[in-house]
Amino acid sequence: MEPLLTEFTYRFIKELSLLLNDDIFIVFISLTAFHLTITLGYFIYVSRASRKPWNLKISSDGYEPYISIIVPAYNEAKVIGRKIENIANLYYPKHKLQVIIVGDPETINVAKKSVHMLNGMKVLLLEEKGRLGKAIALNYALKFTEGEIIATSDADAMWSPDTLKNAVKYFSDPIVAAVTGHEIISNASKNIHTYSEQLYRKTYYTMRLGESKIWSTMIFQGELALYRRSYLKHFESRPGYSDDTGTVIRLIKEGYRCIYIPEAKFADAAPPNLKDKIKLKSRRGQHLINVLTEALKYKIKGMFPLPVCIVVANFYMHVLAPIIQLTIPILLAVSLIRSTALVTSILLVAILATLLLNKNIRALAELYITSSLALTIALIRNIMGMRSTLWERIESMREI
């Protein structure tokens, strides 16, 4: 046994020596170090900022502005009744709420049967004759809003009862133009694909909170987004740009703050299979790549008040990093093959297999692969000019 171990150690050291003299392996080490320095360095920076107090003038005297809630609900007949019940259970004065639902004839007919639950609120049901897209539906509904604050939600996103109460107090500072909240993955326990999304959210929201406390975050979620009506001219509706993050980029450019707050919560499902997860992430990725590229251009021209580190780091993580993350393991594999590093390969496989016994490590590996693939696909689609104006519903997310 001891001679075998000695031989194994000897061959490993010999292979390692060959690898360290291999150009591809040197590129692998350099690229990995570069990538980790930027991503971990940025996370540490915003993580520290997230623990600092808010530099905002937040009122504690019961600030309760009139709110208009817009729910785009095309082909959402199956869930609109549950969404109406969800709004009815909000801890907010009913006489200070206006609810506008925009949907197809079937959805509107179903909604009519449930609107009695919104007694005390002003309700408006707007019928779409044909599907025009979420942003256009939002802008159509915006014409009828009466609220000082405009809130948007998807038909299948369920808000916590105290969501509005927790969110609106930040608007007591006039510098705040928009607020987004915290997503709870409702089907997190279903499988590794949904569990990994929940795990990712912990890091994701630490970064969003840190960015918000520094000045603003550029990434919003339309399932729960609130805007100050006097600053909101319209929702972003250009092809390839999302209504939420696209709108926020414009507001930040105009000098306002757009923030994420952890105490405003909503529940939504994550895609439970690989195909739908990549589909959803690549679709969102296309929108993010467009708006983050636009934000970087504004920053270069001196037209964007957000700190350069936030703009550059987000551009790197969503546009450049996915390609680098796919390239790194390919470089390692090529280097191992070129150097005929059999012992090193066996050792790496054994270490990886051992690590993957841990559920969290498996989830991180799944996330690494799906996010890298999805964002790379998104970049390729954008370069090829393949942009969609309509948001295609993913049915597997409804099967909770």
Side-chain angles (χ1 to χ4, degrees), residues 209-222:
L209 181 59
E211 292 166 352
S212 297
K213 288 190 174 182
I214 293 169
W215 182 254
S216 289
T217 182
M218 295 183 286
I219 302 177
F220 259 51
Q221 292 180 271

Side-chain angles (χ1 to χ4, degrees), residues 317-357:
M317 287 187 290
H318 292 90
V319 182
L320 304 179
I323 300 172
I324 291 174
Q325 288 174 178
L326 289 177
T327 303
I328 285 173
I330 292 172
L331 289 173
L332 177 59
V334 171
S335 181
L336 290 170
I337 293 170
R338 272 169 45 112
S339 305
T340 59
L342 180 61
V343 170
T344 306
S345 299
I346 292 171
L347 186 61
L348 287 173
V349 170
I351 292 171
L352 182 60
T354 303
L355 290 173
L356 289 176
L357 293 174

Side-chain angles (χ1 to χ4, degrees), residues 42 151 291:
Y42 183 68
V291 297

Side-chain angles (χ1 to χ4, degrees), residues 14 36 38 51 94 114 128 134 193 228 289 350 353 363:
K14 184 179 178 180
L36 290 176
I38 293 180
R51 295 190 289 270
K94 295 187 184 299
S114 302
E128 285 184 273
K134 184 181 177 182
H193 301 298
R228 192 185 300 273
I289 289 169

Side-chain angles (χ1 to χ4, degrees), residues 187 190 269-273 275-277 393-400:
N187 60 342
K190 188 175 183 68
N273 61 67
K275 179 184 175 182
D276 285 344
K277 188 168 188 177
R393 187 173 62 219
I394 295 178
E395 292 297 340
S396 64
M397 294 171 64
R398 307 298 177 91
E399 300 167 3
I400 302 173

